[in-house]
Amino acid sequence: MNSEQQYIDLYKEAREIIFSHSSEAMNAVRDEAFERFASAGFPSKKVERYKYTDIQKLFAPNYGLNLNRLQIPVDPYEAFRCDVPNLSTSLYFVVNDQFYNLECRTESVEFATAIDGMRHSAAAANSTLYTLHSTLKEGVIIGSLKNFADSKYYNRLAGKANDTVTDLNTMLAQDGLYVYVPKNVKVDRAIQVINILKTPFKSQEGSLMVNRRVLIVLEEGAEIKMLFCDHAADDQNFLATQVIEAFVGENASLDLYCLEETHAKNIRVSNVYIDQQANSRVNHNVITLHNGTTRNRLDLTFSGEGAECQCYGCVIADKQQHVDNNTLIVHKAPHCTSNELYKYVLDEKAVGAFAGRVLVEHGAQKTTSQMTNQNLTATREARMYTQPMLEIYADDVKCAHGSTVGQLNDAALFYMRQRGIPLAEAKMLLQNAFINEVVDKMKLEPLRDRLHYLIEKRFRGELNKCTGCKLCH
């Protein structure tokens, strides 16, 4: 059986169940997405944007799905306590693909309302709709996608992506996160969203597929900083698809940080679609510290003049981990600026891939674009594939791209060892200095400081030993 056939059969059999546990806006586009998926199937490695990741193989196993929306008891603070706490953020949780509210807790409401960073009024505590943070300004919404999804925006970008993995997510996603910031409102405190993967099976055995959806809408002049942290609470096989759609209005500003720190049994396929209007600003940062197989896609379009984006990525991988970042930046309007910097450090038998394409369309004059991909392979068995591309149809532009793949500098290692630094420590220091160029460009200072600490732990092999430790307390 082809990999996609089981999902075609599943949708036909469980369509009514899926519809009954979601919303009108999400349901309105399911059947159309299903038709596209059933017609095209999963992309093979012959498809240009998927040449470095075997999607058909990743989706071939039979994963369980929580289509009936069974409650999953979880203490979200316990699930992420050893990763990126204490960042002075407004904190929210998504368990698998469901926005977390007090009704999901097994503890008392009094205990839940006392937790710092999740304070609620009595009315909000009893609400089945959403959880609003007390520090948010009036009109800002952060809550369950199925309760707030706006058909004006939902699937408007993803539906035009011509991507069957996105279509699969659209078919099966039942909930997720909705973020709305009204005109000229600036959210001063960063929003931290903890995505927790946890199996609903009482035996804690089996594999689980999660289809998460995120919709971000920033009106004219709005500003927000968002940090998404992916964690796995169970040592089980997970397949997570994620689709993020972000609409950034005129003069609006979005800082979007995506940090993955799961485990070797986790497969993550994330597609991010961003539309920028005139004079808007976007900072997109993707950080992979620990994973199994990861495939990140970013499609960003400049729809208005004078917009700019900064896209940064850092990857640390070892063992047999696989990380594939694929980006497309489309300059439709003149006077726009894009800058990309992705760095990888690969050890043991890890595989990395970066494919970046900048498309400058007719009329997008005065475009400025820089794409850089730099990589370190610490062993002969590690593999890195890099493919930077420019496609330009305007004649008054300033565009450049480049990539490098190499190993640690032998002269630098010799110099450090001559001064009494052990070889392992010397390698760690050089790798740290290499990857920290990306981290230092991140504007969220508490995260930047925390990442310096986590990256050093990662190079020392300590992140995957975190359970029950006292390092962060």
Side-chain angles (χ1 to χ4, degrees):
M1 182 174 67
N2 295 331
S3 297
E4 56 270 4
Q5 189 60 49
Q6 62 179 319
Y7 300 100
I8 295 172
D9 295 340
L10 170 69
Y11 186 80
K12 290 178 178 179
E13 294 171 5
R15 180 181 180 276
E16 297 305 318
I17 296 175
I18 295 171
F19 272 62
S20 66
H21 291 286
S22 194
S23 66
E24 182 179 347
M26 299 182 74
N27 291 337
V29 296
R30 290 189 196 280
D31 288 342
E32 184 179 352
F34 169 74
E35 293 299 331
R36 288 194 298 265
F37 177 81
S39 174
F42 286 116
S44 71
K45 295 183 73 173
K46 294 181 180 179
V47 176
E48 182 68 25
R49 295 197 71 175
Y50 284 95
K51 65 190 298 184
Y52 302 118
T53 300
D54 192 343
I55 291 293
Q56 295 178 346
K57 181 179 179 181
L58 296 183
F59 284 83
N62 183 16
Y63 289 89
L65 289 94
N66 185 17
L67 297 181
N68 281 310
R69 321 311 294 156
L70 300 177
Q71 293 290 334
I72 303 176
V74 60
D75 182 349
Y77 283 85
E78 181 69 16
F80 91 108
R81 64 188 175 90
C82 270
D83 295 86
V84 284
N86 305 320
L87 294 184
S88 299
T89 57
S90 298
L91 199 58
Y92 297 86
F93 297 93
V94 175
V95 179
N96 293 334
D97 60 350
Q98 185 175 6
F99 181 76
Y100 180 88
N101 57 44
L102 291 182
E103 292 195 350
C104 297
R105 298 189 65 92
T106 57
E107 297 88 351
S108 67
V109 170
E110 288 76 14
F111 174 76
T113 55
I115 297 175
D116 181 42
M118 289 188 69
R119 301 186 184 278
H120 307 273
S121 67
N126 293 322
S127 171
T128 60
L129 292 180
Y130 60 94
T131 305
L132 288 181
H133 197 282
S134 60
T135 61
L136 292 181
K137 296 183 179 180
E138 185 176 356
V140 177
I141 298 174
I142 299 176
S144 168
L145 179 61
K146 76 174 183 179
N147 292 311
F148 289 101
D150 187 346
S151 58
K152 176 182 177 181
Y153 293 103
Y154 182 75
N155 206 50
R156 198 176 88 189
L157 300 178
K160 299 177 181 178
N162 191 30
D163 181 78
T164 52
V165 176
T166 300
D167 291 331
L168 177 67
N169 179 280
T170 304
M171 286 163 46
L172 300 178
Q174 294 170 288
D175 196 10
L177 182 71
Y178 177 77
V179 178
Y180 171 78
V181 185
K183 182 177 179 179
N184 294 327
V185 172
K186 296 175 173 57
V187 180
D188 299 323
R189 196 174 190 183
I191 304 300
Q192 185 176 3
V193 180
I194 312 299
N195 294 321
I196 299 174
L197 294 171
K198 184 172 177 61
T199 177
F201 309 113
K202 293 183 179 180
S203 65
Q204 298 297 300
E205 296 180 356
S207 55
L208 182 67
M209 180 181 185
V210 171
N211 299 286
R212 185 187 307 121
R213 199 69 177 232
V214 179
L215 177 59
I216 302 171
V217 179
L218 305 187
E219 299 286 2
E220 178 182 347
E223 293 185 10
I224 195 169
K225 298 179 179 67
M226 301 203 66
L227 167 62
F228 290 89
C229 301
D230 283 15
H231 305 289
D234 294 330
D235 185 28
Q236 303 297 329
N237 295 313
F238 291 103
L239 170 59
T241 73
Q242 175 178 266
V243 173
I244 299 177
E245 296 178 282
F247 297 86
V248 186
E250 187 173 344
N251 293 304
S253 177
L254 171 65
D255 286 10
L256 184 60
Y257 303 86
C258 300
L259 170 63
E260 182 182 6
E261 200 176 342
T262 55
H263 56 55
K265 296 180 181 179
N266 186 63
I267 297 172
R268 178 180 188 265
V269 182
S270 175
N271 294 345
V272 178
Y273 303 100
I274 301 175
D275 180 79
Q276 289 190 238
Q277 297 299 316
N279 301 309
S280 61
R281 296 162 299 282
V282 167
N283 291 296
H284 179 267
N285 304 263
V286 57
I287 308 107
T288 305
L289 292 187
H290 205 283
N291 73 309
T293 299
T294 297
R295 206 275 178 172
N296 297 317
R297 167 174 171 162
L298 169 65
D299 286 17
L300 186 148
T301 301
F302 292 116
S303 297
E305 290 190 40
E308 62 180 59
C309 73
Q310 309 290 328
C311 302
Y312 302 119
C314 69
V315 174
I316 302 172
D318 55 16
K319 301 180 177 65
Q320 295 183 336
Q321 294 164 5
H322 178 105
V323 184
D324 176 2
N325 283 294
N326 190 292
T327 70
L328 170 63
I329 297 180
V330 181
H331 289 256
K332 285 188 173 182
H335 299 279
C336 293
T337 301
S338 65
N339 183 42
E340 291 181 86
L341 174 62
Y342 280 73
K343 285 195 167 190
Y344 290 61
V345 176
L346 305 176
D347 204 348
E348 299 178 315
K349 296 182 179 180
V351 176
F354 172 81
R357 177 175 167 229
V358 173
L359 171 60
V360 182
E361 296 190 350
H362 293 284
Q365 305 295 352
K366 303 295 183 181
T367 287
T368 301
S369 178
Q370 174 66 49
M371 182 196 306
T372 305
N373 174 225
Q374 297 175 335
N375 312 282
L376 281 180
T377 53
T379 65
R380 292 184 179 275
E381 291 78 20
R383 293 288 180 268
M384 181 68 203
Y385 303 93
T386 179
Q387 187 181 21
M389 296 171 281
L390 295 175
E391 189 173 347
I392 302 172
Y393 298 99
D395 55 12
D396 188 5
V397 302
K398 188 183 295 183
C399 299
H401 69 303
S403 65
T404 59
V405 181
Q407 295 182 321
L408 292 173
N409 188 292
D410 290 336
L413 285 173
F414 179 78
Y415 179 87
M416 297 172 76
R417 296 188 69 189
Q418 286 290 94
R419 279 146 185 81
I421 300 175
L423 177 61
E425 185 75 8
K427 285 184 176 180
M428 189 276 295
L429 291 173
L430 290 176
Q431 291 172 339
N432 220 342
F434 175 81
I435 207 75
N436 277 335
E437 181 186 355
V438 176
V439 177
D440 289 338
K441 292 181 179 295
M442 297 181 183
K443 293 185 177 182
L444 190 57
E445 185 175 353
L447 174 63
R448 187 169 65 237
D449 295 341
R450 185 66 178 168
L451 280 176
H452 285 305
Y453 170 69
L454 290 176
I455 286 172
E456 182 175 339
K457 283 182 63 181
R458 177 67 175 91
F459 282 129
R460 294 185 186 279
E462 296 175 356
L463 281 188
N464 55 353
K465 304 174 184 177
C466 226
T467 302
C469 76
K470 303 296 182 183
L471 289 174
C472 301
H473 300 278

